Amino acid sequence: MCGIVGAIAQRDVTAILVEGLRRLEYRGYDSTGLALAQPGGDLALWRTVGKVARLAEKIKANPGEGVLGVAHSRWATHGGVTEANAHPHVSENRIALIHNGIIENYLEIRESLRGKGYVFHSETDTEVVTHLIHDFVKQGHDLTDAVKLAVKQLTGAYAIVVFDAQQPDRIVVARIASPLVIGFGNGENFVASDVQALLPVTRSFIFLEEGDVADVRRDSVTVFDARGRVVERKRHESSLSADAVERGEYAHYMLKEIHEQPQAIADTLEGRIANDRVLPNIFGVDADALLQRVRHVQIVACGTSYHGGLVARYWCEALAGIPCSVEIASEYRYRDVVVPKDSLFVTISQSGETADTLAALSQAKKLGYLGTFAICNVPESSLVRESDLVLMTRAGPEIGVASTKANTTQLAALALLMLELARINGLPAERLRELVAELTSLPRVVDAALKTEPEVRKLAERFVPKQSAIFLGRGTYWPVALEGALKLKEISYIHAEGYPAGELKHGPLALVDAEMPVVAVAPNDHLLEKLKSNLAEVRARGGELFVFADANADIDAHQLGVHEAHGALVKLDSGGNFIAPAVLTVPLQLLAYHVAVLRGTDVDQPRNLAKSVTVE
Ligand code: F6R
């Protein structure tokens, strides 16, 4: 989703801005641009469709310098992917503005500005805001007041960063519902949509709150709250490493992140389990009292994070004996929800900035839940700041758009929460000990699962010419099948659907023929025999089976009717039925990755997708 960077310094800021955009590439974008204030009240502007590297080339071909500038990577919402629609937008060659979000009432403001003689060069809602601010500046307001007046007229979601080349002492920013951070340097200050962009130049940040406007100068920052009062926002020192976003020896970030999973899961569990139990207070100081009262759990998330929630539902009901509902955030937020008594609201999000999840959280806060609990990977995110209790996954920055290590670390974090609820609700100590021991082994078992890669790479070749695929699983492995299908479709562009295996004969079986690969996840549990019957139904229709099974599952290639030229059976240690959903996710990630590589897609930045979905 769109990326924002801005800088005001004593040195040329061009390289800082370009590097900032590069570090935000993982969010997904389709065009970029950069503007610098020039001596004499003029401004220099470069914009291009395509990658940041192309923008850098364009700047190199026609170089410029400036101590004040802004840069943007755009993910099209209003208007197509064209240079004219790329940001920064400019008014009368003096006001330059970049924007994330959507201005809902831009058409009416545009009409009123047209009436005042403004000419529009793009189809965007952003250009409207640029001229609106210019109009206030023209009336004699300084830039800060002009922004304050302009935002009063806007409805929608936005993070705005603007400068006036004729008042080159400041950048002014404003936000509603789109993240914006200010980074503090030595005699220089920065703004961005995400701390990642600024890690090479600062680690000291403030996070703007809803309705804030800030006047950012080289040596001072003044923040005004939604009512116009000057406020202090708390400073945070980021612990993120600037190098964590380097790809190293790996061909893609996604592959690197798949291989980082053993360490990421170990980091997520570290210091949270000891003496065969989940340590008290890892969820926050007042968590224990709150968790004691929980009689229902409502999980809300999107995409891969939602799949994590689906696995946790099985754990919650089977181990803690507490009813659990799981819902997609974009549905939950617009529904008239009935909240059961003593219900805990749990959100799951890698980025902590997903607009639908944040909206669902803010909705939930009005509905009388016992409390809100976030499982999140980004400490500085809005979700973390707005939730009562937080359990951080410690996956480190996830750059590949397709979520991998965030997913398995979410499962580890959800397992901790569900084990704690299970303990509180009387799961026998011996059983709890076994489960904690199993969870502790997860990094090692995931590490072993990665060793299936050569085998998986080979069978990926069989998917290259395919148009569609079906993924099957039962119980906790149904969400694993959903996740396997999502991974394959988003990066290889092969149409893929996940189903509970028992649902096959209620419709999807009609699709099965010799052309249809069917991928199944077969654990060693009480549902194995049922799954085997479903797989026999697939074979009877000539479908090609690719089965990932626990090493001890009573299933063999002959039985399944798979052989060298038709399907495959890959057996691996899935580590026990509690952790197996996380383990069996790994070969499905590898499958999607290698199919995508063979099909030559843009693995880390698949078409039309963004890493952080900060708009609806
Ligand atoms: C798929 C994927 C998305 C995200 C979804 C939620 O690989 O990454 O489906 O899981 O957009 O994002 P977060 O977890 O940041 O809320």
Side-chain angles (χ1 to χ4, degrees):
M1 200 109 314
C2 307
I4 278 181
V5 201
I8 180 162
Q10 278 172 301
R11 51 178 168 156
D12 175 31
V13 295
T14 318
I16 296 172
L17 297 177
V18 172
E19 173 62 12
L21 286 185
R22 196 183 69 74
R23 298 174 68 85
L24 295 177
E25 281 193 297
Y26 73 95
R27 294 162 67 101
Y29 67 103
D30 44 49
S31 46
T32 61
L34 186 148
L36 297 172
Q38 300 291 279
D42 224 352
L43 58 78
L45 177 69
W46 299 262
R47 294 187 298 189
T48 179
V49 167
K51 299 285 179 185
V52 175
R54 200 144 144 205
L55 179 72
E57 274 165 29
K58 207 164 171 177
I59 297 171
K60 203 167 154 204
N62 185 14
E65 277 189 13
V67 293
L68 164 59
V70 297
H72 188 264
S73 49
R74 174 174 186 254
W75 200 70
T77 53
H78 288 77
V81 182
T82 63
E83 195 172 306
N85 286 339
H87 304 203
H89 287 279
V90 169
S91 187
E92 310 255 323
N93 206 32
R94 67 177 280 195
I95 304 288
L97 181 142
I98 56 180
H99 159 225
N100 287 357
I102 292 171
I103 307 297
E104 286 165 8
N105 60 337
Y106 80 107
L107 287 175
E108 61 197 70
I109 303 175
R110 189 166 70 186
E111 278 328 294
S112 120
L113 288 167
R114 273 198 176 123
K116 292 180 171 178
Y118 282 98
V119 177
F120 288 82
H121 301 284
S122 78
E123 304 155 289
T124 63
D125 48 347
T126 307
E127 192 182 2
V128 171
V129 188
T130 318
H131 292 315
L132 184 63
I133 292 171
H134 179 269
D135 190 39
F136 283 117
V137 168
K138 211 172 59 183
Q139 290 168 31
H141 297 283
D142 76 3
L143 184 65
T144 317
D145 285 340
V147 172
K148 287 185 190 167
L149 289 165
V151 294
K152 284 206 175 94
Q153 295 193 15
L154 307 180
T155 55
Y158 53 79
I160 289 166
V161 177
V162 56
F163 73 80
D164 176 358
Q166 293 181 19
Q167 302 173 54
D169 57 345
R170 74 191 83 168
I171 294 175
V172 180
V173 305
R175 74 152 282 198
I176 296 258
S178 284
L180 206 51
V181 303
I182 297 177
F184 294 83
N186 213 342
E188 54 189 18
N189 287 318
F190 311 94
V191 299
S193 48
D194 181 332
V195 294
Q196 283 298 340
L198 302 179
L199 289 177
V201 284
T202 181
R203 310 215 140 234
S204 181
F205 296 100
I206 59 172
F207 301 95
L208 293 184
E209 296 186 6
E210 289 293 276
D212 281 356
V213 171
D215 174 314
V216 181
R217 305 192 183 210
R218 212 171 47 66
D219 44 16
S220 70
V221 172
T222 312
V223 181
F224 305 89
D225 70 6
R227 291 165 62 189
R229 297 169 304 194
V230 173
V231 281
E232 289 290 321
R233 298 288 177 225
K234 192 166 167 275
R235 282 238 204 163
H236 299 258
E237 293 299 313
S238 177
S239 57
L240 292 174
S241 143
D243 298 337
V245 295
E246 298 304 330
R247 197 156 38 78
E249 79 223 45
Y250 290 96
H252 297 97
Y253 283 109
M254 184 182 176
L255 187 62
K256 174 176 180 250
E257 288 156 7
I258 289 174
H259 282 271
E260 281 171 349
Q261 289 179 110
Q263 189 58 49
I265 296 167
D267 290 346
T268 301
L269 297 177
E270 195 200 301
R272 290 168 168 175
I273 302 180
N275 304 326
D276 300 330
R277 67 163 288 194
V278 175
L279 288 171
N281 290 338
I282 62 165
F283 308 106
V285 264
D286 299 326
D288 205 37
L290 191 141
L291 294 180
Q292 300 269 1
R293 293 174 55 201
V294 173
R295 300 271 47 93
H296 171 260
V297 175
Q298 172 68 63
I299 299 179
V300 169
C302 302
T304 290
S305 299
Y306 166 71
H307 296 156
L310 288 176
V311 174
R313 178 176 63 182
Y314 289 86
W315 291 338
C316 187
E317 300 206 348
L319 304 176
I322 294 177
C324 177
S325 320
V326 189
E327 191 161 347
I328 288 172
S330 56
E331 286 299 312
Y332 180 92
R333 66 181 285 193
Y334 291 117
R335 208 161 62 73
D336 293 325
V337 176
V338 178
V339 180
K341 198 162 171 300
D342 295 331
S343 186
L344 177 68
F345 187 80
V346 177
T347 51
I348 310 169
S349 174
Q350 188 285 126
S351 62
E353 300 295 351
T354 300
D356 285 321
T357 308
L358 288 172
L361 172 62
S362 106
Q363 176 78 355
K365 284 180 163 176
K366 300 177 204 138
L367 294 178
Y369 281 95
L370 268 185
T372 58
F373 186 116
I375 290 183
C376 188
N377 195 40
V378 180
E380 295 88 353
S381 64
S382 307
L383 194 74
V384 167
R385 284 180 276 128
E386 287 164 25
S387 300
D388 301 328
L389 301 178
V390 172
L391 185 61
M392 296 308 303
T393 50
R394 298 176 186 143
E398 190 180 64
I399 308 297
V401 164
S403 200
T404 53
K405 61 177 179 171
N407 176 236
T408 48
T409 53
Q410 283 167 354
L411 289 174
L414 285 161
L416 290 171
L417 174 62
M418 295 312 164
L419 287 177
E420 183 59 0
L421 287 173
R423 184 193 63 79
I424 290 169
N425 288 281
L427 189 76
E430 183 51 32
R431 179 80 186 114
L432 200 61
R433 254 196 301 280
E434 282 166 19
L435 293 171
V436 169
E438 218 184 280
L439 184 57
T440 312
S441 72
L442 184 58
R444 177 181 55 74
V445 186
V446 164
D447 194 41
L450 289 167
K451 308 276 185 308
T452 58
E453 186 168 7
E455 207 177 339
V456 174
R457 189 191 298 124
K458 190 138 191 21
L459 59 90
E461 288 166 17
R462 311 268 280 283
F463 284 74
V464 174
K466 301 292 183 189
Q467 306 288 328
S468 310
I470 291 179
F471 285 67
L472 300 176
R474 277 178 173 264
T476 37
Y477 307 95
W478 164 49
V480 174
L482 291 177
E483 178 59 9
L486 177 63
K487 288 289 89 88
L488 187 70
K489 81 177 89 164
E490 67 184 333
I491 60 169
S492 77
Y493 314 147
I494 293 175
H495 174 235
E497 295 302 334
Y499 287 100
E503 192 64 8
L504 196 59
K505 57 167 82 66
H506 299 289
L509 198 56
L511 295 170
V512 174
D513 61 13
E515 291 309 307
M516 176 66 83
V518 176
V519 181
V521 191
N524 186 21
D525 72 2
H526 62 293
L527 293 172
L528 180 65
E529 288 308 315
K530 303 241 174 261
L531 179 74
K532 276 157 69 177
S533 311
N534 302 132
L535 300 184
E537 288 162 1
V538 170
R539 281 299 300 126
R541 273 99 195 150
E544 196 175 4
L545 279 175
F546 295 87
V547 181
F548 295 90
D550 178 75
N552 296 318
D554 175 21
I555 191 164
D556 64 52
H558 180 69
Q559 223 178 26
L560 286 172
V562 303
H563 49 80
E564 190 80 358
H566 200 79
L569 172 65
V570 178
K571 282 204 158 184
L572 63 153
D573 174 12
S574 69
N577 285 326
F578 180 43
I579 61 167
V583 179
L584 290 172
T585 298
V586 173
L588 301 189
Q589 296 168 343
L590 289 167
L591 178 66
Y593 173 76
H594 285 290
V595 175
V597 169
L598 290 168
R599 284 170 66 102
T601 60
D602 190 346
V603 173
D604 284 331
Q605 290 167 33
R607 68 186 181 203
N608 308 339
L609 296 181
K611 182 66 185 162
S612 182
V613 186
T614 54
V615 293
E616 234 185 306

